[in-house]
Amino acid sequence: MSKVTVSRHAHFNAAHRLHNASWTVEKNEAVFGKCNNPHYHGHNYELIVSVRGDVDPETGYVVDMKWLADLIEEQVEQRFDHKNLNEETEEFKVLNPTAENIAMVIWKLLRKEVAEALELKVTLYETPRNFVEYSG
Amino acid sequence: MSKVTVSRHAHFNAAHRLHNASWTVEKNEAVFGKCNNPHYHGHNYELIVSVRGDVDPETGYVVDMKWLADLIEEQVEQRFDHKNLNEETEEFKVLNPTAENIAMVIWKLLRKEVAEALELKVTLYETPRNFVEYSG
Amino acid sequence: MSKVTVSRHAHFNAAHRLHNASWTVEKNEAVFGKCNNPHYHGHNYELIVSVRGDVDPETGYVVDMKWLADLIEEQVEQRFDHKNLNEETEEFKVLNPTAENIAMVIWKLLRKEVAEALELKVTLYETPRNFVEYSG
Amino acid sequence: MSKVTVSRHAHFNAAHRLHNASWTVEKNEAVFGKCNNPHYHGHNYELIVSVRGDVDPETGYVVDMKWLADLIEEQVEQRFDHKNLNEETEEFKVLNPTAENIAMVIWKLLRKEVAEALELKVTLYETPRNFVEYSG
Amino acid sequence: MSKVTVSRHAHFNAAHRLHNASWTVEKNEAVFGKCNNPHYHGHNYELIVSVRGDVDPETGYVVDMKWLADLIEEQVEQRFDHKNLNEETEEFKVLNPTAENIAMVIWKLLRKEVAEALELKVTLYETPRNFVEYSG
Amino acid sequence: MSKVTVSRHAHFNAAHRLHNASWTVEKNEAVFGKCNNPHYHGHNYELIVSVRGDVDPETGYVVDMKWLADLIEEQVEQRFDHKNLNEETEEFKVLNPTAENIAMVIWKLLRKEVAEALELKVTLYETPRNFVEYSG
């Protein structure tokens, strides 16, 4: 009855390219267009992490926002900020770094660290005009 | 388990007036106030179209964002941008062009073009301070 | 089938401090950090009130946005704007004014005034980077 | 040495059409394109009024922001909000209501009411992507 | 000829009250209204610090943005964040903490630390709707 | 007397790395930190192009915004969007692609195409928190 969702903004900058290694060059270009550029392009990813649960009557918090901000920094920013996602991260060595896949990877990284009783949702803006949401 | 929502921003500018033809002038003024102005007023409508579905393992996409942007341009922008909604569109010749009704009309126009397995949601900002959401 | 959500932005500025009177000074400082400052700090709270229901076929409205704006002014802005939440409001004399608790209090104040057939949700930005949502 | 600029946001919604009555229909269409639509279209105009002057040592104000907000409401919002600029305002009966001309008209309306020692600047967003500035 | 302006966003939250100790209670209320509340209210101050100068041909920088961010944290955020400006800061023990005066104080604090050859400007949003600018 | 500034938003996404080829690896790392990553990172660059001049009494325009938008697309977006600035552009083969240098390059590209009587200014957001301005 008293479930509240709390959300925290964060951000990281990265280079990426969309590519399916099992396809021909031509099919990659046809499907991914400019996003397939072999020299990479990049984005300012704006991230919103939302946690839903009961409000602790002693603190008035669902979770401590400082804890959540630190968790995002440790699990997401340190891993992806100022990186080339395809070249420099374990997560996207094989997996195509679309916004959808990045959001799902971030969700899984955070899910392990957030108590099971809490619901978790990730919203990821690839640009101010395109964004994705994933909640498991 | 792997359903992701992807969203795309778009926009159009239009004139409109709120009016119920079956009411008296006085009732229209009482209910719709300044929005009933017979000379029209207008808005920059900011539109967010959200599509929810499984991520294709080959592309990493729910849908191609370029396809979604083109669909919005064809179905919404070409129809409503720089138009007088009451005077120049089939959809609002009779139907009152409130934000609620515009969102429902846009949803129906897009619903026909989006695969059935995908959920669809429309968010429409009439001003930066007022917005509506419709998902069928 | 035709349920639409309509949302209205509003805002108020207030001072507050986070504090649990049943705890020691040390525990309050350890848990709430800078937010426990006995001299208070403050925020520009940005509020979004969302109401979900059927669209009235005569007006094309879920609810009249002017009515909703007036309700928020009467129930929320007049009560909390330019106030010290801990010192000057009945609601937070005892209850800790976290964003979670403020959102729940606002929801209860509005719930009494909104028709039962309508769903109600409150989104409260404590800063542009932190926000909470409550829908009962 | 201690000149400070203070700025206040405001907004109004209006319908307009761009048109030069001394031109042919064809030339109007060629120059103004969709903006020449005889049935009008519209915008949410977002206005920023900036006043620059010395800080009064007694108040710490350049001008009282409430006074500035009231002045904008009286001179701009009451005149243009929810209006058809071409049909219903004296200012744009003849003058073409481009963003440039609207900004200049607003500046002149406010200039008469603001003390001569203060500099005045008007910034007008016609859309979130287009804006104009005028300072006399 | 190659002067460029570089700007950095920062933010801090604080409580304040507007008050002139040499005036009567009545005059303070008449001039400052709700902002005179003796129990304080508060804001999320959003700060933009702009530095203008020649671009160093070796780095391509006017100044290192990390240096600028650290300077703002040291001189502004550590001093004012989560503070009661009237009660807890040397700068506003006597000086009325209007947005104009806060911007001038911040400018002076930073001016001492920024090389003389560089121009300095401070933009301070007291709310998303009110802001001030000061450049010496 | 009637000079007005008109501004247009645009955007492009690109990868880059900050690097001075005449320095050692160590000096590059010390000065540019994470921005020196040899695998690149990237940004959503948000661009505002401002043109200042007299308002044409026949059109009410300083310049046609469609012309300005097309010019930006042709000179900036086609050149830099979805590109690796260091690897794939003539402009930044040697020149370090800092925000300062990118803004100056864009200004020079546009300056050649804008009539001499008009003043030109470029504002470039590298992230929502960092931006630069250049006007020749």
Side-chain angles (χ1 to χ4, degrees):
Chain A
M1 259 321 194
S2 66
K3 290 228 189 275
V4 173
T5 305
V6 301
S7 296
R8 174 77 190 170
H9 282 251
H11 49 88
F12 59 95
N13 310 322
H16 80 152
R17 110 183 254 216
L18 302 186
H19 188 70
N20 182 331
S22 69
W23 289 353
T24 62
V25 168
E26 290 73 21
K27 182 160 185 189
N28 270 293
E29 284 179 2
V31 171
F32 296 123
K34 292 183 299 183
C35 299
N36 183 237
N37 181 348
H39 295 286
Y40 307 104
H41 64 286
H43 297 290
N44 304 324
Y45 292 95
E46 300 283 330
L47 174 68
I48 305 171
V49 176
S50 303
V51 171
R52 181 174 162 82
D54 292 319
V55 175
D56 180 327
E58 285 217 308
T59 58
Y61 283 168
V62 173
V63 296
D64 182 342
M65 279 294 206
K66 187 172 178 340
W67 170 83
L68 184 57
D70 289 348
L71 178 67
I72 298 169
E73 198 205 344
E74 180 193 298
Q75 291 293 329
V76 181
E77 295 174 38
Q78 287 184 15
R79 202 178 299 255
F80 298 138
D81 188 34
H82 282 75
K83 293 286 172 62
N84 182 313
L85 298 179
N86 307 65
E87 294 283 330
E88 296 183 285
T89 72
E90 281 310 308
E91 290 78 5
F92 301 105
K93 279 266 158 63
V94 173
L95 185 66
N96 200 9
T98 59
E100 288 91 330
N101 281 337
I102 300 173
M104 291 170 77
V105 161
I106 289 173
W107 186 89
K108 282 167 200 156
L109 288 167
L110 297 174
R111 182 68 275 182
K112 296 178 303 186
E113 310 293 331
V114 172
E116 272 189 43
L118 299 169
E119 298 169 47
L120 178 66
K121 178 179 169 183
V122 161
T123 304
L124 184 72
Y125 282 77
E126 191 174 69
T127 75
R129 289 156 289 278
N130 290 346
F131 66 97
V132 304
E133 297 161 275
Y134 183 65
S135 51
Chain B
M1 258 324 194
S2 64
K3 291 229 190 275
V4 172
T5 306
V6 300
S7 297
R8 174 79 190 171
H9 282 252
H11 49 89
F12 58 96
N13 310 321
H16 79 153
R17 118 185 246 213
L18 302 186
H19 188 70
N20 182 331
S22 68
W23 289 353
T24 62
V25 168
E26 289 73 22
K27 184 160 183 190
N28 270 292
E29 283 179 1
V31 172
F32 295 123
K34 292 184 296 183
C35 299
N36 182 237
N37 182 349
H39 295 286
Y40 308 104
H41 64 286
H43 297 290
N44 304 325
Y45 291 95
E46 300 284 327
L47 174 69
I48 305 172
V49 176
S50 303
V51 171
R52 180 176 163 81
D54 292 319
V55 175
D56 180 328
E58 285 218 307
T59 58
Y61 283 167
V62 173
V63 295
D64 182 342
M65 277 296 205
K66 188 172 177 342
W67 170 82
L68 184 56
D70 289 348
L71 178 66
I72 298 169
E73 197 205 344
E74 179 192 298
Q75 291 294 328
V76 181
E77 295 173 40
Q78 287 184 16
R79 203 178 298 257
F80 299 138
D81 188 35
H82 281 75
K83 292 286 172 60
N84 182 312
L85 299 178
N86 308 64
E87 295 282 330
E88 296 182 283
T89 73
E90 283 309 308
E91 290 78 6
F92 300 105
K93 279 265 158 65
V94 173
L95 186 67
N96 200 10
T98 59
E100 289 89 332
N101 282 337
I102 300 172
M104 292 170 78
V105 161
I106 289 173
W107 186 89
K108 282 167 200 157
L109 288 167
L110 296 173
R111 183 66 277 182
K112 296 179 303 185
E113 310 293 331
V114 172
E116 272 190 42
L118 300 168
E119 297 169 48
L120 178 67
K121 178 179 168 184
V122 161
T123 304
L124 183 72
Y125 281 77
E126 191 173 69
T127 75
R129 290 154 288 280
N130 290 346
F131 65 97
V132 303
E133 296 162 277
Y134 183 66
S135 50
Chain C
M1 258 322 195
S2 66
K3 291 226 189 277
V4 172
T5 306
V6 300
S7 295
R8 173 79 190 169
H9 281 251
H11 49 89
F12 59 94
N13 311 320
H16 80 153
R17 110 183 256 215
L18 302 187
H19 188 70
N20 181 331
S22 69
W23 289 352
T24 62
V25 168
E26 290 73 21
K27 182 159 185 190
N28 270 292
E29 284 178 0
V31 172
F32 296 122
K34 291 183 299 183
C35 299
N36 183 238
N37 181 349
H39 295 287
Y40 307 102
H41 63 286
H43 297 290
N44 305 324
Y45 292 95
E46 300 283 329
L47 174 69
I48 305 172
V49 177
S50 303
V51 172
R52 180 174 162 81
D54 292 319
V55 175
D56 180 326
E58 285 218 307
T59 58
Y61 283 167
V62 172
V63 296
D64 181 343
M65 278 295 205
K66 188 172 177 340
W67 170 83
L68 184 57
D70 288 347
L71 178 67
I72 298 169
E73 198 205 343
E74 180 193 298
Q75 291 294 328
V76 181
E77 295 174 39
Q78 287 184 16
R79 202 178 299 256
F80 298 138
D81 188 35
H82 281 75
K83 292 285 172 62
N84 182 312
L85 298 178
N86 308 64
E87 294 282 331
E88 296 182 283
T89 72
E90 282 309 308
E91 290 78 6
F92 301 105
K93 279 265 158 64
V94 173
L95 186 66
N96 200 10
T98 59
E100 289 91 330
N101 282 337
I102 300 172
M104 292 170 77
V105 161
I106 289 173
W107 186 88
K108 281 167 200 157
L109 288 167
L110 296 173
R111 183 68 276 183
K112 296 179 303 187
E113 309 293 331
V114 173
E116 271 190 43
L118 298 168
E119 297 169 48
L120 177 68
K121 178 179 169 183
V122 161
T123 304
L124 183 72
Y125 281 78
E126 191 174 70
T127 75
R129 289 155 290 278
N130 291 346
F131 66 97
V132 304
E133 297 162 276
Y134 183 65
S135 50
Chain D
M1 259 323 195
S2 66
K3 291 227 188 275
V4 172
T5 306
V6 301
S7 296
R8 174 77 190 170
H9 282 252
H11 49 88
F12 59 95
N13 310 321
H16 80 152
R17 108 182 258 214
L18 301 187
H19 188 69
N20 182 331
S22 68
W23 289 353
T24 62
V25 168
E26 290 72 22
K27 182 160 184 189
N28 270 292
E29 283 178 3
V31 172
F32 296 123
K34 292 185 297 184
C35 298
N36 182 238
N37 181 349
H39 294 287
Y40 308 103
H41 64 286
H43 297 290
N44 304 324
Y45 292 95
E46 300 283 329
L47 174 68
I48 306 172
V49 176
S50 303
V51 172
R52 181 174 162 83
D54 292 318
V55 175
D56 179 327
E58 285 218 307
T59 58
Y61 283 167
V62 173
V63 296
D64 181 342
M65 278 295 206
K66 188 172 176 339
W67 170 83
L68 184 57
D70 288 349
L71 178 67
I72 298 169
E73 198 205 345
E74 180 193 299
Q75 291 293 329
V76 181
E77 295 174 38
Q78 287 184 15
R79 202 178 300 254
F80 299 138
D81 188 35
H82 281 75
K83 292 286 171 62
N84 182 313
L85 298 179
N86 308 64
E87 294 282 331
E88 296 182 284
T89 71
E90 282 309 308
E91 290 78 6
F92 301 104
K93 280 264 158 66
V94 173
L95 186 66
N96 200 11
T98 59
E100 289 90 330
N101 281 337
I102 301 172
M104 291 170 77
V105 161
I106 289 173
W107 186 88
K108 281 168 201 157
L109 288 167
L110 296 173
R111 183 67 276 182
K112 297 178 302 184
E113 310 293 332
V114 171
E116 272 190 43
L118 299 168
E119 297 169 48
L120 178 66
K121 178 179 169 183
V122 161
T123 303
L124 183 72
Y125 282 77
E126 191 174 69
T127 75
R129 289 155 289 279
N130 291 346
F131 66 97
V132 303
E133 296 161 275
Y134 183 65
S135 51
Chain E
M1 258 324 194
S2 67
K3 291 228 188 276
V4 172
T5 305
V6 301
S7 295
R8 174 78 190 170
H9 281 252
H11 48 89
F12 59 95
N13 310 321
H16 80 154
R17 113 183 251 214
L18 302 187
H19 188 69
N20 181 333
S22 68
W23 288 352
T24 61
V25 168
E26 289 73 22
K27 182 161 185 189
N28 270 292
E29 284 179 2
V31 171
F32 296 123
K34 291 184 298 182
C35 299
N36 183 239
N37 180 349
H39 295 286
Y40 307 103
H41 64 286
H43 298 290
N44 305 324
Y45 292 95
E46 300 284 328
L47 174 68
I48 305 172
V49 177
S50 303
V51 172
R52 180 174 163 81
D54 291 319
V55 175
D56 180 327
E58 286 218 307
T59 58
Y61 282 168
V62 172
V63 296
D64 181 343
M65 278 296 206
K66 188 171 177 341
W67 170 83
L68 184 57
D70 288 348
L71 178 67
I72 298 169
E73 197 204 344
E74 181 193 298
Q75 291 293 328
V76 181
E77 295 174 37
Q78 287 184 16
R79 203 177 298 255
F80 299 137
D81 188 35
H82 281 76
K83 293 286 171 61
N84 182 313
L85 298 179
N86 308 63
E87 294 282 331
E88 295 182 284
T89 72
E90 282 309 309
E91 290 78 6
F92 301 105
K93 280 265 158 66
V94 173
L95 185 67
N96 200 10
T98 59
E100 289 90 331
N101 281 337
I102 300 172
M104 291 170 78
V105 161
I106 289 173
W107 186 89
K108 282 168 200 156
L109 288 167
L110 296 173
R111 182 68 275 183
K112 296 180 302 185
E113 310 293 331
V114 172
E116 271 190 43
L118 299 168
E119 297 169 48
L120 177 67
K121 178 179 169 183
V122 161
T123 304
L124 183 72
Y125 281 77
E126 191 172 70
T127 76
R129 289 155 290 279
N130 291 345
F131 66 97
V132 304
E133 296 161 275
Y134 183 65
S135 50
Chain F
M1 259 324 195
S2 65
K3 291 227 189 274
V4 172
T5 305
V6 300
S7 296
R8 174 79 189 169
H9 281 252
H11 48 88
F12 59 96
N13 310 321
H16 79 153
R17 107 183 258 214
L18 302 186
H19 188 70
N20 181 332
S22 69
W23 289 351
T24 62
V25 168
E26 290 73 21
K27 183 159 184 190
N28 270 292
E29 284 178 3
V31 172
F32 296 122
K34 292 184 297 183
C35 299
N36 183 239
N37 181 349
H39 295 286
Y40 308 103
H41 64 286
H43 297 290
N44 305 324
Y45 291 95
E46 300 283 329
L47 174 69
I48 305 171
V49 177
S50 303
V51 172
R52 179 174 164 81
D54 291 319
V55 175
D56 179 327
E58 285 218 307
T59 58
Y61 283 168
V62 173
V63 295
D64 182 343
M65 278 295 205
K66 188 172 178 340
W67 169 83
L68 184 57
D70 289 348
L71 178 68
I72 298 169
E73 198 205 343
E74 180 193 298
Q75 291 294 327
V76 181
E77 295 174 39
Q78 287 184 15
R79 203 178 298 256
F80 299 138
D81 188 35
H82 282 75
K83 292 286 171 61
N84 182 312
L85 298 179
N86 308 63
E87 294 282 330
E88 296 184 284
T89 72
E90 282 310 308
E91 290 78 6
F92 301 105
K93 280 264 157 67
V94 173
L95 185 67
N96 200 10
T98 59
E100 289 90 330
N101 282 337
I102 300 172
M104 291 169 78
V105 161
I106 289 173
W107 186 89
K108 281 168 200 158
L109 288 167
L110 296 174
R111 184 67 276 182
K112 295 179 303 185
E113 309 293 331
V114 172
E116 271 190 44
L118 299 168
E119 297 169 47
L120 177 67
K121 179 179 169 184
V122 161
T123 304
L124 183 72
Y125 281 77
E126 191 173 69
T127 75
R129 290 155 288 280
N130 291 347
F131 65 97
V132 304
E133 297 161 275
Y134 182 65
S135 50

